[in-house]
Amino acid sequence: MISFRLPRGRTLSIGQPPGVMGVLNVTPDSFSDGGVHFDHMKAVHAALQMAEDGAAVIDVGGESTRPGAEPVSGAEELGRVQPVIEGLTAARTGAQISIVTRSGGNQFHGSAFDYLRNDIFDAGDWFNGYTNTPALPKAEERQNDFGGTVSGPLLKNRTFFFFSYEGLRLRLPTTSLSTVPDASFTPGGTTDSRQNATPALQPYLNAYPLPNRNSPEILCNPTAFGCPSSGISGSAAFNTSYSLPASLDAYGLRVDHKFTERVTVFGRYSYSPSETQERGVPNDTLNSITTLRNTTQSGTIGVTVMVSPHVANEFRFNYSRTDALSRHSMDNLGGAVPLSSLPFPSGFDVQNSDLVFNIIDMTGGSLELGADIHNLQRQINVVDNVSLQKGPHNLKFGVDYRRLSPQFTPFVYAQNIALLNVAAAETGSLFGSTVFSYVPGTLLFRNWSAFAQDSWHVLPRLTVTYGVRWDADLAPASTSGAAFPAATHFSLADPSQLALAPVGTPSFKTSYRNFAPRVGVAYEASQKQNWGTVVRGGFGVFYDLATTEAANIILLSNYPFENALFTFGGSFPLDAVTATPPTVQPPSVTSPQRLAVFDPNLKLPYTLQWNVAVEQGLGARQSLSTSYVGSIGRRLIQTSYFVNPNPSLTAANLVANTATSDYHALQIQFKRQLIGGLQVLASYTWAHSIDTASGGSIENLGNGSISGTNFNVNRGPSDLTFATAFLVRQHMPFRLRNGSRSSMC
């Protein structure tokens, strides 16, 4: 038996049967394959085929070694091989993965880059001058992408580091059309709504941008909804161009240390703050700004231990934190005068509350100012895998634990003011108002999984991979604040008795019997040179999470997350009674509310997947492959919606295992290598997908359940399914004057 030292302290022992190495060049100018694996998806697919064919080692290289090849930077080399390594790691091929890279770990290396773009030489939009007279000024466009890397030794031959930074500064040009209250200079205007408004309402109308100087009064049909009897809307156009700023800073640091030839450890940390701004979202005025700040941090520690030449253990611990904050503000775009105060009850202000002042008949007619939401996501992930090579068997065992602790902090109070038209806004005569109360909370999600797998080289021409995976998705819980509600008398056939379960009841019973067997076979039916035949097939059970609709439970349910009180008519500013925040309390006959709950007997959804493929060589330069893939989904998550199911509930969204799906596909692919590196690929795919819901979310109404008992009523072709597809592609590499290679498809 012969043993080889592999990177990161690993050892490969080759005895009988002999080990086979698959070479994968992730370069555009490989002299051995012409760069056909430069696309990382193709590279991963090719590596998986190598593993199925019995490769014990997959050798990945990101820089060409052909004579005259241009050297690439470390960052570019890493960008080529990293997606491939991540794809192979996720697929758990069972093969050892070797990375071919340049030596020089004991030397310092660095790189820097900068990209700058502006609009100095950009032409204006022709339609701008056609639509707006005179044309609007061209909005500023800037893009500056800059950064660099530095790497080298901390302790010679033992400790190495790699640091990277990338910064991005953007200003994205945008042109928008909107309507605003008219002004004294509006052509054809007779209302001058800003001056005619009552003193209490003038600050709100003045908070809108002024109309364009040459924009005439907008007239409307007096018989139309929201139009004053005079036919004069009191509004005019405000069209403008502006730039939306965005920024990103991404820092990354990795340190590797080798304690001994058998024990290596690494640590990786990333920090990425970003900020973006948008105007007029979704129907806000163009001077209403939504600012989103997002900071992502992640730290990982990994330890690899070679217990023996045949046994290796890999341990990973990760902690990630994402802090996202969204707020609404106003500026003086177009001559607007931002609001200086809000008409909120004592204890509520712009820091913890939100105001929406909406004139319904205007485009972009909502003033919005105040807090939006502050979400904090924290994740702990622990993974441990053991690999064991024993004769023709490559065994793997592993466990995976994931803990998510999201904290959501929405605004605690809000007023949504609705006025039919500008005339109503002048006096504060309301169509209606909604007052909201929200309760923050910290939730808890936990997932466990474990697997055992064996890749068995039964014969030199036959490899069988089989194993089993176990998954558990625990019922969501709460560590503080609002918690997921649980239900009693849950019935899709008769929701009339639906009610809340006692506080502290789990939203569903956690299932621990989720075992998923999987098997794959690769057989070389014929080894005849250039006319070889390879047959592959597999079957597996795959479980999904039961908690995928947790966010919609929060959005679609009043108690215990929120309460809202709508009042028809009235006047603005709201009186003390109407402005009082509603109490967040359980639904009752006197206070009916919306409710969204899981089925107490919810199970993990699963799919059964299988495939068969035959690849036939047709001489030295061409091959034909035929593949069939099937997949059926059962116990899939689906939401059923009921209106007024009983006197205590205005609506009920019930999440249960009611959806199914069936998918079948056949693909025929022909590949031919022509002269001069020219390659031609032709493929034909026939596929058919039928389901009763193409997604779990009720927000896409097509996913909702129509019937509470006969779920096949929903059955039909899946969303975005394509029955047939025919593709012909050619790939031709060519040499540039400087000696480097490129390709054309």
Side-chain angles (χ1 to χ4, degrees):
M1 182 177 293
I2 304 173
S3 296
F4 294 95
R5 290 291 181 187
L6 297 179
R8 303 182 58 76
R10 305 180 70 182
T11 303
L12 172 65
S13 298
I14 300 178
Q16 296 294 330
V20 176
M21 174 184 288
V23 177
L24 191 66
N25 296 311
V26 193
T27 62
D29 54 353
S30 170
F31 64 84
S32 60
D33 58 31
V36 295
H37 299 137
F38 186 53
D39 180 271
H40 75 270
M41 295 298 295
K42 291 183 178 179
V44 171
H45 179 70
L48 294 178
Q49 288 188 344
M50 293 178 187
E52 290 181 7
D53 291 339
V57 178
I58 298 176
D59 192 63
V60 183
E63 181 175 1
S64 176
T65 57
R66 67 170 180 79
E70 293 290 331
V72 300
S73 67
E76 183 176 353
E77 184 180 12
L78 180 64
R80 292 178 181 180
V81 302
Q82 183 173 349
V84 179
I85 302 302
E86 291 175 347
L88 296 179
T89 302
R92 296 188 172 98
T93 63
Q96 302 274 8
I97 300 175
S98 171
I99 303 177
V100 180
T101 184
R102 284 178 292 173
S103 60
N106 286 320
Q107 299 177 359
F108 288 96
H109 298 274
S111 63
F113 66 92
D114 184 46
Y115 172 84
L116 178 63
R117 176 186 177 182
N118 59 40
D119 58 357
I120 295 177
F121 299 106
D122 290 355
D125 187 344
W126 181 87
F127 292 98
N128 177 20
Y130 180 81
T131 306
N132 303 284
T133 306
L136 299 175
K138 185 171 61 176
E140 182 183 57
E141 180 177 13
R142 297 289 186 272
Q143 178 180 347
N144 190 8
D145 193 357
F146 53 93
T149 65
V150 60
S151 62
L154 295 176
L155 292 175
K156 189 175 182 180
N157 295 327
R158 285 192 174 274
T159 308
F160 310 90
F161 77 94
F162 180 88
F163 174 80
S164 65
Y165 167 75
E166 180 175 359
L168 179 64
R169 303 293 183 267
L170 290 176
R171 294 191 65 84
L172 302 177
T174 306
T175 299
S176 297
L177 312 180
S178 68
T179 54
V180 297
D182 62 9
S184 58
F185 55 78
T186 299
T190 59
T191 60
D192 193 5
S193 55
R194 300 167 191 255
Q195 293 299 319
N196 293 338
T198 63
L201 272 298
Q202 281 186 358
Y204 296 92
L205 295 184
N206 288 331
Y208 287 85
L210 293 170
N212 299 124
R213 285 278 174 177
N214 58 344
S215 296
E217 183 79 23
I218 296 176
L219 304 180
C220 57
N221 186 345
T223 62
F225 176 77
C227 180
S229 59
S230 64
I232 300 175
S233 69
S235 63
F238 173 65
N239 304 332
T240 189
S241 57
Y242 51 87
S243 296
L244 296 173
S247 65
L248 167 69
D249 294 285
Y251 304 85
L253 175 65
R254 176 177 175 126
V255 177
D256 291 83
H257 180 73
K258 180 171 66 174
F259 285 98
T260 67
E261 292 297 326
R262 292 176 175 265
V263 180
T264 59
V265 62
F266 77 87
R268 181 174 61 237
Y269 174 74
S270 62
Y271 173 67
S272 301
S274 65
E275 179 175 321
T276 60
Q277 287 188 359
E278 294 187 353
R279 293 178 180 268
V281 178
N283 189 46
D284 289 351
T285 61
L286 296 181
N287 68 313
S288 294
I289 302 171
T290 300
T291 301
L292 175 63
R293 296 186 180 93
N294 193 309
T295 301
T296 300
Q297 300 179 73
S298 179
T300 302
I301 296 176
V303 180
T304 301
V305 179
M306 292 297 302
V307 181
S308 73
H310 309 286
V311 181
N313 184 81
E314 293 181 331
F315 172 81
R316 301 288 185 269
F317 174 84
N318 171 265
Y319 176 77
S320 299
R321 186 178 189 272
T322 300
D323 191 339
L325 173 67
S326 177
R327 298 192 62 83
H328 302 289
S329 60
M330 302 174 67
D331 66 5
N332 60 357
L333 179 71
V337 181
L339 293 171
S340 58
S341 63
L342 298 178
F344 291 156
S346 177
F348 304 108
D349 54 32
V350 71
Q351 299 301 321
N352 61 11
S353 304
D354 186 59
L355 173 71
V356 176
F357 183 91
N358 181 27
I359 301 178
I360 297 174
D361 76 339
M362 292 200 317
T363 301
S366 294
L367 294 170
E368 187 162 12
L369 179 63
D372 187 10
I373 194 167
H374 184 190
N375 288 337
L376 177 63
Q377 175 67 279
R378 293 158 294 184
Q379 173 183 278
I380 295 176
N381 187 207
V382 182
V383 179
D384 191 74
N385 294 323
V386 176
S387 302
L388 171 62
Q389 185 75 39
K390 188 173 179 62
H393 295 273
N394 186 358
L395 303 169
K396 267 197 169 185
F397 308 91
V399 295
D400 188 328
Y401 170 69
R402 193 179 303 268
R403 182 185 189 272
L404 297 171
S405 182
Q407 174 183 314
F408 64 97
T409 309
F411 46 77
V412 297
Y413 175 81
Q415 291 182 11
N416 194 325
I417 305 302
L419 306 109
L420 278 181
N421 47 44
V422 175
E426 292 177 15
T427 61
S429 179
L430 294 175
F431 173 76
S433 62
T434 307
V435 178
F436 298 88
S437 294
Y438 288 89
V439 177
T442 302
L443 306 176
L444 179 62
F445 299 88
R446 291 162 293 173
N447 316 117
W448 284 94
S449 64
F451 76 93
Q453 174 186 300
D454 177 23
S455 292
W456 178 21
H457 298 284
V458 184
L459 299 169
R461 297 163 59 179
L462 175 63
T463 301
V464 178
T465 301
Y466 58 96
V468 63
R469 181 181 176 89
W470 170 79
D471 292 281
D473 185 17
L474 279 63
S478 173
T479 58
S480 66
F484 283 99
T488 61
H489 306 293
F490 186 101
S491 173
L492 298 178
D494 180 18
S496 62
Q497 302 301 313
L498 182 70
L500 281 173
V503 176
T505 303
S507 53
F508 60 82
K509 298 176 183 177
T510 301
S511 172
Y512 294 96
R513 299 180 180 179
N514 310 304
F515 293 94
R518 301 170 189 178
V519 62
V521 178
Y523 177 64
E524 192 174 2
S526 172
Q527 294 181 319
K528 186 177 180 181
Q529 186 176 8
N530 298 330
W531 293 89
T533 304
V534 179
V535 180
R536 301 180 181 88
F539 172 82
V541 181
F542 300 84
Y543 284 98
D544 200 354
L545 298 178
T547 52
T548 53
E549 288 303 295
N552 282 328
I553 293 287
I554 298 175
L555 292 174
L556 298 174
S557 188
N558 287 131
Y559 180 82
F561 308 105
E562 65 168 77
N563 198 3
L565 181 62
F566 175 78
T567 302
F568 183 77
S571 61
F572 182 80
L574 303 180
D575 59 69
V577 174
T578 308
T580 300
T583 303
V584 179
Q585 58 186 356
S588 63
V589 175
T590 57
S591 179
Q593 301 176 40
R594 302 189 320 269
L595 181 64
V597 291
F598 290 109
D599 183 347
N601 297 309
L602 193 71
K603 306 295 183 183
L604 263 63
Y606 68 89
T607 58
L608 305 178
Q609 299 181 14
W610 61 93
N611 66 83
V612 177
V614 178
E615 184 171 351
Q616 175 65 55
L618 301 175
R621 293 180 174 271
Q622 58 193 19
S623 64
L624 179 69
S625 63
T626 304
S627 306
Y628 164 69
V629 177
S631 174
I632 60 174
R634 297 296 182 262
R635 294 196 323 218
L636 304 182
I637 301 297
Q638 187 177 30
T639 301
S640 299
Y641 178 71
F642 298 89
V643 179
N644 298 321
N646 60 49
S648 297
L649 299 175
T650 58
N653 291 275
L654 308 183
V655 181
N657 300 111
T658 55
T660 62
S661 68
D662 294 84
Y663 174 82
H664 302 275
L666 175 69
Q667 183 183 73
I668 301 175
Q669 186 179 86
F670 174 78
K671 293 186 292 186
R672 178 172 175 80
Q673 181 84 28
L674 303 178
I675 61 174
L678 178 64
Q679 300 177 30
V680 175
L681 180 148
S683 66
Y684 172 79
T685 302
W686 175 90
H688 194 202
S689 180
I690 300 176
D691 60 36
T692 59
S694 298
S697 174
I698 193 68
E699 293 301 308
N700 181 348
L701 298 179
N703 295 327
S705 174
I706 297 175
S707 170
T709 54
N710 182 16
F711 302 105
N712 285 329
V713 173
N714 300 56
R715 190 170 175 83
S718 304
D719 295 347
L720 301 177
T721 183
F722 294 92
T724 59
F726 181 72
L727 171 69
V728 177
R729 180 180 179 181
Q730 67 175 12
H731 179 91
M732 181 175 65
F734 56 90
R735 188 175 301 278
L736 302 177
R737 281 190 173 184
N738 60 7
S740 63
R741 288 166 62 95
S742 185
S743 60
M744 179 175 63
C745 296

